[in-house]
């Protein structure tokens, strides 16, 4: 009976003990800036909670990758093409779906304005290694995807 009483008291006290534990504060702009500083990349602040890094690839020269704070998330974006420049035909849309299937963490997305590469990460797991992964994925995929969609771009006006 004494053991039952002791177990009951321990179980009853658990919620209070768990509630009293210090909670990890969510990461924010200060934490992202600290990680960017340590990353070795040159970046610019676009606005509060938004940063940009310029990358250069084998297929695309000097393209921006943007990082933006969302609610509990860091959202990374890189524009591949303006929507108005795309020939939105079944062959392109099939190609985009096939590329989405072949990629790990990133996704290709088509908004009202553009075709872009996107990767979302929870701030609670963001550290230097995760930031490096995000930037490597976004810059690498942007450079890799461009030649595959280039045949579906409208010819520039002369």
């Amino acid at each position: 009976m004494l053991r039952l009483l002791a177990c009951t008291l321990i179980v009853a006290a658990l919620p209070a003990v768990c509630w009293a534990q210090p909670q990890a504060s969510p990461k924010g702009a200060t934490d992202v800036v600290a990680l960017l500083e340590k990353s070795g990349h040159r970046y610019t602040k676009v606005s509060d909670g938004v940063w940009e890094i310029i990358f250069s690839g084998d297929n695309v020269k000097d393209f921006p990758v943007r990082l933006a704070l969302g609610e509990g998330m860091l959202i990374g974006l890189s524009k591949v093409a303006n929507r108005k420049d795309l020939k939105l035909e079944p062959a392109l849309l099939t190609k985009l779906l096939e590329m989405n299937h072949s990629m790990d963490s990133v996704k290709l997305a088509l908004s009202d304005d553009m075709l872009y590469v996107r990767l979302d990460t929870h701030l609670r797991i963001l550290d230097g290694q995760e930031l490096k992964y995000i930037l490597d994925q976004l810059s690498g995929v942007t450079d890799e995807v461009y030649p595959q969609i280039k045949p579906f771009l409208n010819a520039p006006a002369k």
Side-chain angles (χ1 to χ4, degrees):
M1 185 66 151
L2 192 53
R3 284 186 183 168
L4 180 62
L5 181 59
C7 286
T8 303
L9 288 173
I10 290 170
V11 170
L14 277 177
V17 171
C18 292
W19 180 79
Q21 297 297 318
Q23 300 296 315
S25 61
K27 293 179 179 157
T30 306
D31 300 299
V32 173
V33 168
L35 291 172
L36 284 169
E37 288 291 328
K38 291 178 187 174
S39 75
H41 290 285
R42 292 181 56 194
Y43 68 93
T44 56
K45 180 179 176 181
V46 176
S47 63
D48 288 342
V50 180
W51 304 270
E52 184 174 271
I53 298 170
I54 304 297
F55 286 89
S56 185
D58 295 330
N59 301 304
V60 184
K61 302 294 180 207
D62 300 331
F63 61 94
V65 169
R66 285 199 175 180
L67 300 172
L69 284 177
E71 193 158 323
M73 302 288 292
L74 183 68
I75 300 150
L77 298 169
S78 181
K79 181 168 79 171
V80 178
N82 289 316
R83 184 179 178 132
K84 65 179 173 55
D85 295 336
L86 293 170
K87 297 176 199 167
L88 292 176
E89 54 191 47
L92 169 62
L93 301 176
T94 300
K95 184 66 160 170
L96 294 175
L97 287 171
E98 289 170 350
M99 287 188 294
N100 260 340
H101 169 72
S102 68
M103 295 176 205
D104 293 329
S105 303
V106 299
K107 60 184 172 186
L108 288 164
L110 185 62
S111 72
D112 291 340
D113 301 321
M114 66 180 151
L115 172 66
Y116 63 97
V117 179
R118 178 176 172 156
L119 196 155
D120 301 346
T121 302
H122 292 278
L123 285 173
R124 65 181 166 73
I125 64 167
L126 185 65
D127 59 12
Q129 186 177 354
E130 186 69 12
L131 180 63
K132 180 183 181 332
Y133 178 78
I134 292 166
L135 295 172
D136 288 350
Q137 288 291 304
L138 289 169
S139 62
V141 168
T142 300
D143 193 52
E144 179 184 322
V145 163
Y146 184 77
Q148 296 180 61
I149 64 108
K150 191 174 180 181
F152 302 100
L153 292 174
N154 293 315
K158 293 184 179 185

